[in-house]
Amino acid sequence: MEGIVPARDEPWYMQLGERNWTEIEALKDRVVVCPIGSLEQHGHHLPLLTDSMIGSEIARRVEAATEEVALFTPMLWVGASHHHLSFPGTISLSQATYRGVIEDMAESLIGAGFRKIFFLNSHAGNIVPAQAALLEVQLRHRVTLPELYLCVGSWFELALPELAALGLVQKKVIHACEWETSVIQVTHPELVKNSRPAARRDIGSGFWSPDHIQNNRLSVIRTMEQGSETGAFGFPDDATPEKGEQLIQTATNEIVRFVKEYATWPRVP
């Protein structure tokens, strides 16, 4: 009948938000995967939701392959992106607020009985506050819940060896770069612009690359506009949809492997 939306028929669809509260007790032994992203500028050519779009697509594919062991929360689309705020359109939570959000999410899931929680990240700026938040939660429960596991990992780090071996121009993700542009060409090709100016700067340091193309040996705290007037780094002109599909599926494969292994981790004495 026109206007009626059919019920889901995907047996693998395990979104936590589509369950009701009476079902949770029977599901509490599962891994809970919480995708976290951002809404921040990605140069002249990519949408503000780039990180969240990438993370959502990878989470969707991982979800389809982990039906027996995992539940997924919706994408947390806002992240810790204050270093991008000089570019209009960025929406950010402060470090303190973001830590509080992650802590409260984790505590809510722990209170429901879940003991293996994984924050699947797609924005590098989220990592430090998320790690700090999860450490606080783990410290609170270290005596009473020794079986509790809390972890956070980025798709571009969890699968880095496999991604770097694909033979792309870049050996790692940067920002609005070859990797991210390629993936958005797969997920939202209509949103990718042809003009893709990106900053590439070399100061001759053996320790730090201001354009992040080389591997940095320490963290230098700078805001985005201090490194790129366009808000982009890397080699976005080398992006292709074919590369994007390789990146998505390679990351998906490794994250599926991790989630399935994570589900079997024993209580550590």
Side-chain angles (χ1 to χ4, degrees):
M1 182 175 178
E2 187 177 356
I4 300 297
V5 178
R8 291 190 182 276
D9 58 4
E10 303 98 332
W12 51 263
Y13 199 89
M14 293 298 297
Q15 284 284 3
L16 178 65
E18 294 192 341
R19 297 289 179 165
N20 68 60
W21 74 265
T22 67
E23 297 176 273
I24 300 305
E25 178 67 22
L27 299 170
K28 66 183 183 181
D29 290 335
R30 294 177 181 265
V31 172
V32 180
V33 182
C34 305
I36 54 177
S38 73
L39 193 158
E40 64 183 30
Q41 72 80 27
H42 274 75
H44 293 185
H45 61 288
L46 293 181
L48 294 161
L49 268 177
T50 286
D51 290 340
S52 295
M53 290 173 174
I54 293 172
S56 293
E57 176 61 17
I58 292 172
R60 183 186 69 82
R61 296 191 189 195
V62 173
E63 182 183 39
T66 56
E67 58 178 302
E68 298 299 324
V69 299
L71 291 165
F72 285 69
T73 67
M75 167 63 69
L76 179 61
W77 59 264
V78 64
S81 301
H82 269 38
H83 51 301
H84 290 272
L85 280 175
S86 60
F87 294 89
T90 297
I91 297 177
S92 175
L93 300 179
S94 68
Q95 296 278 306
T97 300
Y98 192 74
R99 288 196 303 271
V101 168
I102 298 299
E103 282 192 45
D104 285 352
M105 288 177 65
E107 290 286 8
S108 296
L109 292 167
I110 293 166
F114 296 106
R115 296 295 180 261
K116 290 177 180 173
I117 302 166
F118 169 39
F119 287 84
L120 173 57
N121 179 53
S122 56
H123 166 52
N126 292 339
I127 286 292
V128 170
Q131 287 176 332
L134 296 180
L135 175 60
E136 288 298 319
V137 176
Q138 188 62 258
L139 288 171
R140 284 198 288 270
H141 296 288
R142 68 188 185 278
V143 174
T144 56
L145 296 177
E147 72 276 21
L148 177 64
Y149 284 101
L150 303 172
C151 64
V152 56
S154 304
W155 69 265
F156 45 83
E157 294 290 345
L158 278 161
L160 183 57
E162 293 76 16
L163 294 168
L166 292 176
L168 279 60
V169 175
Q170 295 173 203
K171 300 304 179 187
K172 62 176 183 176
V173 77
I174 308 179
H175 186 77
C177 57
E178 177 193 20
W179 287 21
E180 291 191 328
T181 305
S182 293
V183 174
I184 297 299
Q185 284 180 325
V186 174
T187 64
H188 297 80
E190 73 283 3
L191 300 182
V192 181
K193 305 295 191 296
N194 289 326
S195 178
R196 305 173 188 177
R200 290 193 283 274
R201 300 173 180 174
D202 183 4
I203 63 171
S205 171
F207 296 92
W208 178 65
S209 168
D211 57 15
H212 306 287
I213 291 172
Q214 304 303 317
N215 287 326
N216 293 325
R217 296 169 64 179
L218 76 167
S219 296
V220 177
I221 311 306
R222 305 268 286 179
T223 59
M224 180 55 67
E225 83 278 3
Q226 291 177 309
S228 173
E229 64 278 2
T230 70
F233 290 117
F235 300 88
D237 287 331
D238 290 295
T240 69
E242 293 73 23
K243 292 177 180 179
E245 182 59 34
Q246 283 185 296
L247 289 161
I248 296 170
Q249 197 54 51
T250 300
T252 296
N253 292 343
E254 285 304 294
I255 295 165
V256 166
R257 192 164 71 89
F258 166 68
V259 171
K260 289 183 175 181
E261 180 194 292
Y262 189 34
T264 69
W265 284 7
R267 172 173 168 168
V268 178

